[in-house]
Amino acid sequence: MRRVPVFLLCAISPALCVSTQQATVPQTARQALIEMFFGKASGTFLKHLPTATRDALLKSGAMANMQQYSLMVNQFQAQGQTVQTFDTGSVLLSGDNPKTGDKIEITVENDALRGDQDDLELSFQLYKNGQRQAAPFNTQFTFSMKQEDQVWKLNEISVTIHLPLADPEFLKAITEKMKPQMAGGAFTARPETSVSPAGSDAMVLAAMRQILTAEATYATTYPTVGFTCTLSNLDGFGGGEPNEHQAMLINSGLASGKRYGFVFTLSGCGSSPASSFHLTAKSNAGTFGRQTFCSDQSAVIRTSQDGNPATCLASGTPIQ
């Protein structure tokens, strides 16, 4: 059978020619990065890891823990957020949460393509009810993509923090947090800056977000069960295949429920498939001056200064 030249196909059917040309357009590094973290198909995260990295994860048995990064779009959608990604333009991703009025944008500050390597500099902006939220410092992430077997792979991640030391707003925010209060002539630390020897509030919030992400992944992976109210079900310990009783989504220390001087508790799941849950983090007995944190399936973290989880769930203040 003789082959028909491409130019002849174009002459016969221009639409077919355009379709053939589009099918051969290679994926850009930016498109690969979007597919890696926000692709809807399972395994997109692993696809864009270097072969050496994938082999090491497979050999160590840690490959199963990577599934939570392969379905981030599903996790956002499970939390009621709308996510859009853009192959071109200054905005790479836009995510909205209609329930809270929050919006996050990931913007491309620079895209430096050099042969088989492309460095994408990204920054993050958070909006509340249409107003951009000021951050005490600016953080930029550089994702270095490199081609391997004609596929863009994530080769390196760099983080740059910019501290505007002379900026008036930055100075105001810092000095307000450092300012002591005098009560009855004695020095008293402000509640929001009190730090337990066991760990900072930032660590507790990071642990809360790990559990919330794991819950979203768990509900997506096991739809007949829904959310879980048993922390050990999210545990990452073990060498077998992930299952609903050991999903391998968080480390065993956090799955124990005690971390950074706090006790983490899941509750309120109801019957299967559970469509809701409550997550609380309460200070251990004897840890003075710590507020309680809480959240639910909305993934909005709230806090209560009285240290009572029930108060936090009922009327806690959302954390910006």
Side-chain angles (χ1 to χ4, degrees):
M1 181 177 178
R2 299 180 62 185
R3 295 183 179 179
V4 180
V6 174
F7 73 88
L8 186 56
L9 285 175
C10 294
I12 297 174
S13 176
L16 180 60
C17 179
V18 172
S19 176
T20 302
Q21 291 175 345
Q22 290 177 340
T24 60
V25 175
Q27 187 181 48
T28 65
R30 174 171 172 165
Q31 290 170 334
L33 186 63
I34 292 173
E35 181 181 62
M36 182 178 189
F37 288 100
F38 302 101
K40 294 184 178 181
S42 177
T44 53
F45 183 85
L46 299 176
K47 172 185 175 183
H48 294 288
L49 283 179
T51 301
T53 306
R54 289 208 314 267
D55 291 346
L57 291 171
L58 185 62
K59 185 177 180 180
S60 67
M63 184 72 82
N65 293 336
M66 296 295 103
Q67 64 174 318
Q68 60 182 306
Y69 300 105
S70 297
L71 298 170
M72 291 186 70
V73 166
N74 293 342
Q75 295 172 26
F76 279 117
Q77 290 174 345
Q79 297 168 14
Q81 300 186 42
T82 303
V83 178
Q84 288 182 295
T85 57
F86 306 91
D87 292 345
T88 59
S90 60
V91 178
L92 183 137
L93 177 140
S94 177
D96 296 274
N97 191 328
K99 295 181 180 179
T100 63
D102 292 343
K103 177 181 179 181
I104 185 173
E105 279 190 352
I106 302 177
T107 58
V108 180
E109 302 295 336
N110 189 34
D111 186 348
L113 175 62
R114 303 184 305 278
D116 64 350
Q117 183 168 332
D118 196 349
D119 294 333
L120 294 156
E121 294 182 12
L122 308 180
S123 63
F124 296 74
Q125 286 82 42
L126 180 64
Y127 296 85
K128 184 76 172 179
N129 296 322
Q131 298 295 320
R132 181 171 177 174
Q133 303 299 296
F137 50 82
N138 299 321
T139 306
Q140 283 189 341
F141 294 82
T142 301
F143 293 82
S144 296
M145 309 292 289
K146 194 170 183 179
Q147 281 197 327
E148 183 181 304
D149 297 328
Q150 298 184 332
V151 176
W152 285 104
K153 305 292 184 75
L154 179 57
N155 195 58
E156 183 178 277
I157 301 176
S158 304
V159 181
T160 305
I161 298 177
H162 302 275
L163 290 174
L165 297 179
D167 182 76
E169 292 299 321
F170 171 78
L171 294 173
K172 180 180 178 181
I174 293 297
T175 54
E176 283 296 320
K177 288 186 177 295
M178 296 176 62
K179 187 187 300 180
Q181 291 182 337
M182 300 301 293
F187 176 85
T188 305
R190 293 171 62 91
E192 62 268 28
T193 58
S194 300
V195 178
S196 162
S200 70
D201 289 348
M203 294 178 180
V204 179
L205 292 174
M208 292 276 289
R209 294 188 178 99
Q210 287 181 40
I211 296 174
L212 292 171
T213 300
E215 278 280 20
T217 303
Y218 185 93
T220 301
T221 307
Y222 308 105
T224 59
V225 180
F227 296 113
T228 179
C229 278
T230 305
L231 268 173
S232 61
N233 286 347
L234 305 175
D235 197 347
F237 177 78
E241 290 296 321
N243 57 71
E244 64 187 68
H245 300 298
Q246 194 172 59
M248 300 187 182
L249 296 173
I250 61 176
N251 65 57
S252 297
L254 183 55
S256 72
K258 295 182 180 180
R259 201 76 163 172
Y260 311 122
F262 275 72
V263 176
F264 297 84
T265 305
L266 287 170
S267 62
C269 285
S271 58
S272 298
S275 58
S276 62
F277 68 92
H278 292 149
L279 170 63
T280 59
K282 180 182 178 181
S283 173
N284 276 339
T287 306
F288 176 74
R290 304 301 298 275
Q291 67 260 45
T292 290
F293 300 97
C294 63
S295 188
D296 53 25
Q297 65 279 357
S298 69
V300 177
I301 299 178
R302 300 184 295 277
T303 184
S304 174
Q305 295 291 339
D306 66 357
N308 189 338
T311 303
C312 183
L313 290 170
S315 58
T317 303
I319 294 177
Q320 299 290 335

